[in-house]
Amino acid sequence: AQKVTQAQTEISVVEKEDVTLDCVYETRDTTYYLFWYKQPPSGELVFLIRRNSFDEQNEISGRYSWNFQKSTSSFNFTITASQVVDSAVYFCALSTAGAGSYQLTFGKGTKLSVIP
Amino acid sequence: NAGVTQTPKFQVLKTGQSMTLQCAQDMNHNSMYWYRQDPGMGLRLIYYSASEGTTDKGEVPNGYNVSRLNKREFSLRLESAAPSQTSVYFCASSEVGGYTGELFFGEGSRLTVL
């Protein structure tokens, strides 16, 4: 069975601080995908990034960066110079292909509050 | 391109009432899913449909039924609503044959059972 653990339930930072959201996953599959989604107060789920299990390169997109380490089964997300608009719940998720479909297993989410 | 469309957006039910949440996608995806989101619990899979004509239980299927009406539509039915089913429901779709396994989500349906 798949499992995703986001140990940080809530984080508060002051604007312009850097913040890292932790994600640890468990799976026995060798092929899998990792995701981060953002859920702003408006409620929709916004896709941020996808990584596959064969690509451990870190990725940077503007103020966002992701650190994927298979050795520790972690896929951490860092926001540099945080802004108020970054306030949201962030979900890490794991997808494996089984029985003809992908099943996305979510962590419980980390609520980030960026204080002006 | 509408993506994944869910109706209704909001619904209030009394205990014991029934209702159906509708979901349609226009991306020609094979797989569709229903998740529920509860505070502090993340999103949990209720049912999914790998392809037209098939449905399977997810993590929390009790109290729900689904119908994959055609390739576009996947409905979720509560036959006798209970307060424990108060939640936000998300429909999603994906293309198994693609590279990503990425799910595309609807905007969510907020259901309150009194």
Side-chain angles (χ1 to χ4, degrees):
Chain A
Q2 281 70 239
K3 184 177 180 181
V4 176
T5 301
Q6 295 180 255
Q8 304 150 309
T9 305
E10 294 191 40
I11 301 176
S12 290
V13 298
V14 175
E15 198 171 22
K16 298 184 182 178
E17 286 184 345
D18 299 346
V19 57
T20 296
L21 310 183
D22 297 331
C23 173
V24 175
Y25 63 92
E26 296 176 30
T27 180
R28 293 183 178 179
D29 291 302
T30 56
T31 300
Y32 53 88
Y33 300 92
L34 294 163
F35 300 82
W36 277 94
Y37 282 87
K38 174 182 180 179
Q39 188 177 44
S42 52
E44 75 274 22
L45 287 159
V46 179
F47 166 78
L48 294 179
I49 191 173
R50 165 195 63 248
R51 304 298 287 175
N52 73 50
S53 53
F54 300 108
D55 184 0
E56 286 192 71
Q57 284 190 345
N58 293 331
E59 183 158 338
I60 298 174
S61 176
R63 296 184 297 106
Y64 296 169
S65 62
W66 291 269
N67 183 0
F68 176 28
Q69 292 192 337
K70 288 180 75 171
S71 60
T72 56
S73 297
S74 64
F75 186 45
N76 296 337
F77 172 32
T78 297
I79 302 174
T80 301
S82 59
Q83 300 176 1
V84 173
V85 293
D86 296 326
S87 296
V89 180
Y90 291 86
F91 291 99
C92 181
L94 168 69
S95 174
T96 58
S101 71
Y102 287 100
Q103 297 188 38
L104 207 59
T105 300
F106 284 84
K108 294 184 177 181
T110 298
K111 182 177 181 181
L112 174 65
S113 299
V114 181
I115 303 165
Chain B
N1 189 351
V4 179
T5 303
Q6 297 179 226
T7 56
K9 296 282 192 298
F10 301 92
Q11 184 72 48
V12 179
L13 292 176
K14 295 181 179 179
T15 297
Q17 288 185 319
S18 62
M19 77 157 296
T20 299
L21 296 174
Q22 306 286 354
C23 176
Q25 52 92 9
D26 61 4
M27 295 172 283
N28 202 35
H29 285 166
N30 284 320
S31 300
M32 297 185 73
Y33 312 80
W34 277 105
Y35 284 85
R36 63 176 286 173
Q37 183 181 17
D38 303 294
M41 297 298 294
L43 280 82
R44 293 179 292 171
L45 183 63
I46 304 171
Y47 270 95
Y48 67 99
S49 171
S51 60
E52 187 178 354
T54 69
T55 60
D56 285 286
K57 296 178 180 179
E59 180 184 356
V60 288
N62 291 344
Y64 304 96
N65 287 304
V66 291
S67 295
R68 184 73 183 267
L69 304 172
N70 48 55
K71 190 172 185 179
R72 290 187 64 246
E73 298 173 288
F74 187 40
S75 63
L76 178 71
R77 182 162 178 83
L78 287 69
E79 291 290 353
S80 179
S84 61
Q85 294 177 304
T86 294
S87 189
V88 179
Y89 292 85
F90 286 94
C91 179
S93 68
S94 72
E95 184 51 70
V96 178
Y99 158 75
T100 69
E102 177 183 349
L103 268 61
F104 295 80
F105 286 89
E107 294 183 344
S109 299
R110 183 176 295 275
L111 174 65
T112 301
V113 183
L114 303 175

